[in-house]
Amino acid sequence: MRLWLTLVLITGLLAGCQTQGDRNSTNIKTLQKTVGREQLLQTFSRITPPPMNKEIMNQSDEQVIAWIRQVDDWTHKVLSSPLTGEMDRYAMQEMRTHLEQVYTPEMAQRMIDYFYRHDYTIGTYQANSTKAMLGLRSEWSKYELNKSQPAPGQYKISLTGRTRFDYGESVMQHESAYRVQGDRLIVTDFQTRS
């Protein structure tokens, strides 16, 4: 009886060790594909931020639309720059800093929260999706732009894109808000719905 009880205990201990070993090997595999700070900085050095000078708001509708699409494209490139879709916390700090060249800290965090989820068990950030994040990346045959200035040093833009098909129409709605900071614009809100 004693020998049987000893064998059961040893078997249980070995099974527990095996389970822990499997979990550790999964974490190691995950960490091997995690993008670090240095890798991300190299990628960011090739992604030029859009111009953010406040004179943009005085340009033609076509130029403002082209600029908004440039901001959207840059945002997507920054958020999807970890090719594996996963990064460590140091890389995430760099991503947040890079986004804050264009966005307020709050808006940069909203973008990150939309695109990534934090895996607390191993401390990494994983992309929710690598597909195009914003509807502005698509082509629309007709745009309507409305600009307003709700207060000095603040701008709001409402942009509607439409494309007709044989069976109907596809519509995209974009709204964004900007604040003048020195001689630059900073994005305080940026959202698109299709």
Side-chain angles (χ1 to χ4, degrees), residues 104-172:
T104 62
E106 298 79 21
M107 191 61 213
Q109 189 60 51
R110 279 176 47 199
M111 290 287 193
I112 288 168
D113 290 343
Y114 175 81
F115 210 77
Y116 288 92
R117 69 184 178 285
H118 188 194
D119 184 339
Y120 292 95
T121 59
I122 54 176
T124 62
Y125 293 83
Q126 298 164 351
N128 288 320
S129 173
T130 54
K131 66 183 180 181
M133 187 182 81
L134 303 168
L136 289 169
R137 297 176 54 77
S138 302
E139 289 295 326
W140 302 90
S141 59
K142 183 181 175 189
Y143 287 101
E144 296 169 26
L145 179 77
N146 290 312
K147 274 189 291 189
S148 63
Q149 194 169 5
Q154 292 182 3
Y155 296 93
K156 284 188 101 167
I157 289 181
S158 176
L159 177 63
T160 304
R162 298 178 189 280
T163 300
R164 284 192 120 27
F165 300 104
D166 292 340
Y167 53 87
E169 182 180 61
S170 180
V171 178
M172 173 275 305

Side-chain angles (χ1 to χ4, degrees), residues 47-84:
I47 305 173
T48 307
M52 298 301 291
N53 53 322
K54 64 183 180 183
E55 286 74 29
I56 290 166
M57 291 298 168
N58 299 325
Q59 295 181 347
S60 70
D61 285 1
E62 291 77 21
Q63 290 170 312
V64 172
I65 291 167
W67 173 73
I68 290 172
R69 292 187 65 180
Q70 192 178 357
V71 170
D72 175 68
D73 187 53
W74 177 83
T75 303
H76 182 74
K77 284 178 182 172
V78 169
L79 288 170
S80 60
S81 55
L83 297 178
T84 63

Side-chain angles (χ1 to χ4, degrees), residues 14-69:
L14 287 174
C17 291
Q18 181 63 37
T19 303
Q20 183 64 34
D22 289 345
R23 194 175 305 128
N24 286 340
S25 68
T26 301
N27 288 351
I28 288 170
K29 286 178 188 171
T30 300
L31 290 173
Q32 286 174 344
K33 67 178 185 174
T34 301
V35 173
R37 179 181 179 273
E38 295 305 317
Q39 289 173 290
L40 205 60
L41 285 173
Q42 286 178 356
T43 304
F44 286 162
S45 68
R46 297 185 295 271
I47 305 173
T48 307
M52 298 301 291
N53 53 322
K54 64 183 180 183
E55 286 74 29
I56 290 166
M57 291 298 168
N58 299 325
Q59 295 181 347
S60 70
D61 285 1
E62 291 77 21
Q63 290 170 312
V64 172
I65 291 167
W67 173 73
I68 290 172
R69 292 187 65 180

